[in-house]
Amino acid sequence: MTGALAPSKPLTAVDRCDRCGAQAYVRAVLAGGNDLLFCAHHGRKFSGALRSTGADIHDETNRLIETPATAPNDER
């Protein structure tokens, strides 16, 4: 074992922000292995402080601006 963190699974619509309950787009993996989930807003708010404590931040907020590959015809 190298001590490196295993890649985490992508966040889904079921994953909720630990702060407000909105859909989570940011996962903070703490040094002890536990994780915290945050919406985009709370992820931005807390990621700096979490990084300074050694947390590994997985940010998927780029998914908020992606266009689905199967957009309805009236959205193309």
Side-chain angles (χ1 to χ4, degrees), residues 15-59:
D15 296 308
R16 310 313 283 178
C17 176
D18 289 326
R19 187 73 177 165
C20 69
Q23 184 173 347
Y25 288 96
V26 178
R27 179 189 319 265
V29 181
L30 306 176
N34 294 327
D35 62 353
L36 296 171
L37 303 178
F38 295 107
C39 63
H41 166 78
H42 286 111
R44 283 189 301 273
K45 183 174 181 178
F46 298 118
S47 64
L50 288 164
R51 261 194 199 96
S52 70
T53 66
D56 188 21
I57 307 296
H58 301 273
D59 187 340

